[in-house]
Amino acid sequence: MEDLITCVEEQPQPPSSLPNSWTNQHSDSAQRTDEEPKAVGGFVLVHAGAGYHSESKAKEYKHVCKRACQRAVERLRAGALAMEAVAAALVELEDSPFTNAGMGSNLNLSGEIECDASIMDGKSLHYGSVGAIRGIKNPVLVAHRLLSEAQKGKLSAGRIPPCFLVGRGAHDWAVAHGIPPCPAEKMATKFSLSAYKRNKRKMEIAEKMDTPENPMKRRRQSSETENGSECLDTVGAIVVDQEGNVASAVSSGGLAMKHPGRVGQAAHYGCGCWAQNSCNSNPYSTAVSTSGCGEHLIRTMLARECSVALQAEDAHQALLDAMQNQFISSPFLASEDRVLGGVIVLRCCRCEEDPPSQDLQASLDPHLQAAPRCGARPLPGHRGGGVSADQRRPGWPVALAAVVSQYE
């Protein structure tokens, strides 16, 4: 597999800071038993999508992920809750011309950009999302506003406020609530327009070969188009704030050359993102953000499944089992010749027992690749990481580009 595009942003640390490595922290814990555990300041993990990342743009992917982390950290330092911080991270990702979200997203069959986005607040368990929305530069802001408005309670005449809007209705609602529209010509970039022209030519060639005498050749050409190097997918972020609240968000322009009106997992409840604070029945707070083929992630509700797995005592093994049994080998995807998906996850608690002894970035089988984790002062009870999977052909360049940041 292609190496993960990773970067760790470390905040300035005092001389007495803990070691940067989780492994070193654990081995050194015996020497620090007399020290009082410190309060958690915050944790941010972002990704630029599971897909076929161009090596030539690796530096740009790292930079945009780092900027997204920095924006979220700035909000946390200013006292914002996790939900505001995760939205700030997503805005930075959407504004990048190199990601498939917001500005510069994949164009659909009609040559237009339609975006999906969702956000979930682990404290209130409220959720907001938009699907196939056009003419809005930052769809995550619409999802965030839907969530915020829903938290205010019922509308006039006892009407229930919406949590999920699509298409023209989502656009009009956004404008009515102060989110400015963006002209279509400003939504597309030279990169997305170039990719659209290439994909359109490939489709025209494939359609010419679409004859009863040539089914295999047509299928092979279609597969090559589908797996082009420009096919990035959903971006996302997960955050825990200084109060221990978690939040998660995702945003996507969807598949290249998708049918107009198609809505992917980034807008579906339990499929694109999940966030849930700890409670009596769940000892850990968990946050999940997914990326990959939307139809596969929708049919398996992977975000919710991973959140459930993270409640297990051995979260590392439970997460791998969930990816294998609930996604790669899922009976709901038995008819698919390949599945593609990835997740970033976080679990935390306020416990002050032993620090995590098992690194989530452990050795995995050929179908799975660990995503990066934070090396900047990880604290007891915090676990962050991710996995991505390509079922059909181990060794294909599947990656989950991510950056993590933690501070006190």
Side-chain angles (χ1 to χ4, degrees):
M1 283 189 181
E2 176 182 310
D3 290 338
L4 292 176
I5 303 169
T6 66
C7 177
V8 175
E9 176 199 353
E10 298 188 19
Q11 301 298 321
Q13 306 295 340
S16 60
S17 63
L18 295 177
N20 283 342
S21 166
W22 279 42
T23 305
N24 291 341
Q25 180 201 29
H26 179 62
S27 62
D28 195 37
S29 60
Q31 303 175 22
R32 300 177 178 270
T33 54
D34 57 332
E35 297 182 6
E36 291 295 326
K38 298 181 180 180
V40 175
F43 185 99
V44 179
L45 173 58
V46 308
H47 71 84
Y52 298 83
H53 297 270
S54 168
E55 288 287 351
S56 64
K57 297 186 180 70
K59 184 177 294 185
E60 284 79 5
Y61 299 141
K62 288 182 180 180
H63 286 170
V64 67
C65 284
K66 186 171 183 178
R67 289 197 304 271
C69 261
Q70 290 171 338
R71 296 295 173 270
V73 167
E74 288 170 1
R75 297 304 302 275
L76 291 175
R77 286 188 183 279
L81 296 179
M83 188 176 70
E84 283 70 33
V86 79
L90 263 290
V91 167
E92 191 69 31
L93 293 171
E94 289 176 339
D95 286 346
S96 170
F98 300 102
T99 60
N100 179 30
M103 183 184 69
S105 291
N106 288 331
L107 277 65
N108 63 17
L109 280 173
S110 301
E112 299 171 313
I113 289 179
E114 294 181 330
C115 297
D116 308 326
S118 63
I119 185 171
M120 186 168 182
D121 175 29
K123 181 179 181 180
S124 66
L125 300 183
H126 278 268
Y127 173 87
S129 71
V130 291
I133 188 171
R134 300 181 187 178
I136 297 293
K137 182 181 178 183
N138 297 115
V140 72
L141 293 181
V142 188
H144 181 270
R145 187 63 183 270
L146 279 166
L147 189 155
S148 299
E149 291 297 316
Q151 288 178 328
K152 296 178 181 179
K154 293 183 179 181
L155 305 175
S156 60
R159 292 174 298 139
I160 296 176
C163 67
F164 181 17
L165 293 174
V166 299
R168 184 68 188 182
H171 176 276
D172 292 348
W173 188 95
V175 174
H177 286 78
I179 299 175
C182 180
E185 59 271 18
K186 291 187 177 181
M187 289 291 293
T189 64
K190 63 178 182 179
F191 300 109
S192 60
L193 289 172
S194 177
Y196 173 74
K197 292 176 182 178
R198 290 197 303 271
N199 287 326
K200 190 172 183 179
R201 286 196 298 268
K202 291 179 181 179
M203 286 190 62
E204 290 171 351
I205 294 173
E207 288 170 357
K208 289 179 181 179
M209 292 189 288
D210 187 8
T211 63
E213 299 81 15
N214 227 349
M216 293 304 294
K217 190 172 183 179
R218 180 189 60 81
R219 182 177 180 181
R220 183 167 58 251
Q221 178 67 35
S222 176
S223 178
E224 291 171 357
T225 300
E226 179 181 315
N227 298 313
S229 61
E230 70 276 10
C231 295
L232 300 180
D233 203 11
T234 309
V235 302
I238 51 183
V239 172
V240 57
D241 62 29
Q242 56 189 338
E243 295 181 5
N245 302 306
V246 294
S248 177
V250 286
S251 183
S252 178
L255 298 175
M257 309 305 287
K258 65 183 180 182
H259 193 283
R262 180 259 190 189
V263 177
Q265 102 285 356
H268 281 79
Y269 185 75
C271 306
C273 66
W274 191 268
Q276 187 171 7
N277 280 11
S278 60
C279 59
N280 292 334
S281 58
N282 295 324
Y284 298 102
S285 295
T286 61
V288 181
S289 175
T290 71
S291 184
C293 177
E295 282 68 20
H296 299 162
L297 296 166
I298 291 170
R299 287 156 63 186
T300 55
M301 295 190 70
L302 188 60
R304 173 65 176 138
E305 292 288 351
C306 288
S307 177
V308 172
L310 289 172
Q311 294 296 334
E313 189 64 26
D314 186 353
H316 166 253
Q317 187 58 50
L319 182 60
L320 296 185
D321 290 344
M323 286 295 293
Q324 181 64 51
N325 300 327
Q326 307 301 326
F327 187 66
I328 295 175
S329 302
S330 170
F332 296 100
L333 302 179
S335 61
E336 302 292 337
D337 60 354
R338 66 186 294 263
V339 297
L340 175 64
V343 297
I344 55 173
V345 303
L346 176 149
R347 92 171 187 178
C348 64
C349 68
R350 293 188 178 278
C351 59
E352 298 178 356
E353 289 88 10
D354 294 336
S357 60
Q358 189 173 28
D359 197 332
L360 195 59
Q361 197 169 339
S363 58
L364 306 173
D365 67 50
H367 293 298
L368 300 174
Q369 178 69 50
R373 14 216 278 244
C374 182
R377 306 189 70 188
L379 298 178
H382 278 72
R383 302 185 179 209
V387 293
S388 58
D390 186 320
Q391 177 191 27
R392 184 176 68 174
R393 191 177 300 177
W396 278 27
V398 179
L400 190 64
V403 174
V404 294
S405 179
Q406 182 171 345
Y407 78 96
E408 293 183 19

